[in-house]
Amino acid sequence: MSDQRRDAFKTVLQLSCQLLWVVGLVVGLSGVYLLMKYTQNSLYFSNAYIILPAVFALASAAFLLASGCLGSWLSLRDSTCLQGLFVYLLVVVFCLEGTASALAYFHSTKLDSEITSLRGVFQNYTGGSQDPNSRTVDATQEELQCCGIHDYSDWLKTSWFNRTGGLFVPHSCCNSTFPSCNGTVDQPWQLYTKGCQVKMEKVLQFVLNFIIWGSPVVFLVEVIVFLTVAQLMRGQPHIQYQVLDKN
């Protein structure tokens, strides 16, 4: 292989490794975001299995970043041993990312059953600042700009609504565009119209889709890297040893 062609392959390898870094950051941030959402809303989930895609995504991101660093080093020097280690890391990355994508797809198809505890948390709402259920509900409604499970009428069936005289929903239901809103059901246009279950499912589906689509992107990048490394290994000069006859 000519030096010019070899330099071209090294440049492709360098650019591909930088792309591995970008993909690793995106996959890692998706995993971190999913873990954050689970931590903030853990009371709503029936089990903790939904964090498994995040765990595998973070592991995949760590190996992607390590592979990118090793590949960048390979683009500057020739080493058969490091090339073998680089290929091994890419195989591990593909296995981890494929597992993360499969788990993310599995959980994305059953989000409605993953957050079955949502109704129970809303039913146990007390409005107290020391109650973890109440703080979680208020934080969710303010962040997602939602009210109730499906809409504000879900609050009419709660014990808290009856204890407060049957006139008000939590103040966190108030639409921020109406500063004078006090949560009265006589003025429903001042409340958020959509329920929290649909909005929460959309947020979770959004982050799970990042993890799902991370697998084919990683696969395409790895194909480019594999082909580049294979060309470099084929064109690597081999040391030939000659046996000298002794007279």
Side-chain angles (χ1 to χ4, degrees), residues 146-219:
C146 56
C147 183
I149 301 171
H150 301 99
D151 54 37
Y152 82 93
S153 63
D154 292 318
W155 284 108
L156 309 185
K157 308 168 188 175
T158 61
S159 57
W160 178 83
F161 181 77
N162 296 326
R163 288 198 305 269
T164 56
L167 297 175
F168 300 95
V169 296
H171 192 269
S172 55
C173 277
C174 288
N175 194 316
S176 57
T177 58
F178 297 98
S180 61
C181 174
N182 58 3
T184 177
V185 294
D186 295 333
Q187 297 175 326
W189 59 87
Q190 294 186 351
L191 308 175
Y192 291 122
T193 57
K194 293 186 178 181
C196 294
Q197 181 168 348
V198 173
K199 288 207 167 186
M200 187 174 295
E201 288 180 2
K202 286 183 178 180
V203 170
L204 293 174
Q205 186 68 57
F206 177 77
V207 64
L208 287 173
N209 282 340
F210 266 99
I211 299 177
I212 291 171
W213 286 104
S215 183
V217 173
V218 168
F219 176 75

Side-chain angles (χ1 to χ4, degrees), residues 223-238:
V223 168
I224 297 174
V225 173
F226 273 128
L227 294 176
T228 305
V229 172
Q231 290 295 328
L232 289 174
M233 293 179 72
R234 287 176 57 187
Q236 186 169 328
H238 298 281

